[in-house]
Each structure stands twice: as structure tokens, then as C-alpha cells.
């Protein structure tokens, strides 16, 4: 009756984020951030089994400006689900997801990292809470700490991209 998409807000997504609901509507997930500045880096970490249950995989700089073009995180979500962590790991990105995405996936985090949104200042092992009933997405640091991190943030240099550098889910493509 509610559909499969939920809009979340909070200090991590002041302009909103979208969760594709594939599991429990009562989900409250608290985990530690594993931070990656590209889809490729996150995919390598998942392949190397560096992601564990309870992690929040943060993939930033993949939004409309940072990607550029708002890249889809299907390879990473497929790899996480393939390791049996679909309901045990949350993926959080300023990029997008597809209809084939499985597991707890929060995309379209806004403002995106390239614009200096809070996702840009998440640090490795920061605590993140996804509260589905409350429709909240929270970086568990003080407002003062968040403000200071945002003030000190510097936009990274543009990254050159090649279509051949993108991960391909097993069984897809040539």
C-alpha cells in the first residue's frame, strides 16, 4: 500500500535520500561507515571480503555532478548480496540504484558529496543510523562536529573516467 520507495531525511541527507524497501518496514540499522570515493573502490573492497555484517558501505562522489552523471551501483549491491550480506549491510550513496537492486540500499543522498553535502565528510568508522519507521538517516556526530567538518571540506580534483574501468556483475557483458 505504501510502495517500495521511502524518502529519508536527517543530518546526513538534509535535502533527502531514497531507500528502496526490499525487507522489513521496521528496519532500524546502526552500523559503522566504510567510506569509498568511487564505485570501483567499493567493489574491490567487497570482492576482497573487507566488508562485514553491520557495515554501512558509503559510496560518494557518484551523484549527478560527481559521477558525473549519477552512476548506478548495481555491481556493488550484487556483490554484497552475493556474499549473503543483503540484509546485514547497508549501502549508502549519492549515486543511484536500479530496479534489480537487492538489500538495504539508500541512494540519491542529497546534497551530493561533490556539492559539499554531509556525505562528503563521513569518516571511516563513523556511526550511521538508518531509522526506517522514523524516516531518518543520521550521522551520529554532534552538530558542532558536523559543522566543523563541512567548513573544512575541500572539493577534490576531477577524476578522469573510462567506461572500461567500471565493474561488471558476474555473467554480464562480453
Amino acid at each position: 500500500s505504501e510502495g517500495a520507495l521511502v524518502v529519508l531525511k536527517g543530518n546526513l541527507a538534509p535535502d533527502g535520500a531514497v531507500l528502496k524497501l526490499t525487507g522489513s518496514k521496521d528496519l532500524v540499522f546502526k552500523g559503522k561507515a566504510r567510506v569509498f570515493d568511487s564505485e570501483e573502490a567499493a567493489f574491490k573492497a567487497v570482492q576482497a571480503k573487507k566488508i562485514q555484517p553491520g557495515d554501512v558501505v558509503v559510496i560518494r562522489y557518484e551523484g549527478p555532478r560527481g559521477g558525473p552523471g549519477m552512476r548506478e551501483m548495481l555491481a556493488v549491491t550484487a556483490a554484497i548480496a552475493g556474499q549473503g550480506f543483503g540484509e546485514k549491510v547497508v549501502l549508502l550513496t549519492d549515486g543511484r540504484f536500479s530496479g534489480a537492486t537487492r538489500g538495504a540500499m539508500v541512494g540519491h543522498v542529497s546534497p551530493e558529496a561533490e556539492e559539499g553535502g554531509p556525505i562528503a565528510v563521513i569518516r571511516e568508522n563513523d556511526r550511521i543510523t538508518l531509522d526506517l519507521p522514523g524516516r531518518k538517516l543520521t550521522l551520529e556526530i554532534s552538530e558542532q562536529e558536523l559543522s566543523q567538518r563541512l567548513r573544512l571540506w575541500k572539493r577534490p580534483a576531477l577524476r578522469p573516467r573510462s567506461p572500461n574501468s567500471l565493474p561488471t556483475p558476474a555473467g554480464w557483458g562480453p
Side-chain angles (χ1 to χ4, degrees):
S1 65
E2 294 179 13
L5 299 177
V6 175
V7 175
L8 306 169
K9 289 205 170 191
N11 71 349
L12 194 44
D15 294 341
V18 178
L19 173 113
K20 181 180 177 196
L21 184 61
T22 60
S24 170
K25 293 181 180 181
D26 297 323
L27 175 68
V28 175
F29 189 98
K30 297 177 185 232
K32 69 175 182 173
R34 300 300 315 278
V35 183
F36 304 95
D37 289 343
S38 72
E39 178 187 15
E40 294 84 0
F43 188 75
K44 286 178 186 174
V46 174
Q47 281 189 314
K49 301 191 184 303
K50 293 182 178 179
I51 303 303
Q52 299 299 315
D55 287 345
V56 178
V57 176
V58 177
I59 305 175
R60 59 189 178 194
Y61 298 106
E62 297 293 9
R65 290 185 180 178
M70 199 165 209
R71 298 172 66 205
E72 183 179 310
M73 303 296 117
L74 181 58
V76 178
T77 58
I80 289 170
Q83 291 184 7
F85 296 158
E87 301 299 323
K88 299 172 185 165
V89 169
V90 168
L91 192 144
L92 176 72
T93 182
D94 52 8
R96 64 186 176 94
F97 49 84
S98 78
T101 298
R102 294 173 283 173
M105 170 68 181
V106 179
H108 304 263
V109 173
S110 182
E112 69 175 285
E114 183 68 22
E115 293 179 339
I119 192 172
V121 299
I122 298 171
R123 295 180 182 162
E124 190 77 8
N125 296 315
D126 276 350
R127 303 298 294 177
I128 296 174
T129 299
L130 165 63
D131 175 5
L132 186 53
R135 306 293 199 252
K136 293 277 187 194
L137 186 59
T138 308
L139 178 59
E140 300 294 344
I141 60 175
S142 70
E143 287 183 40
Q144 180 181 1
E145 174 71 14
L146 180 57
S147 293
Q148 180 179 2
R149 288 185 190 185
L150 289 168
R151 231 182 0 266
L152 296 173
W153 175 79
K154 302 267 191 266
R155 177 174 282 110
L158 288 176
R159 302 172 293 170
R161 291 284 175 113
S162 161
N164 296 329
S165 69
L166 302 179
T168 302
W172 290 21

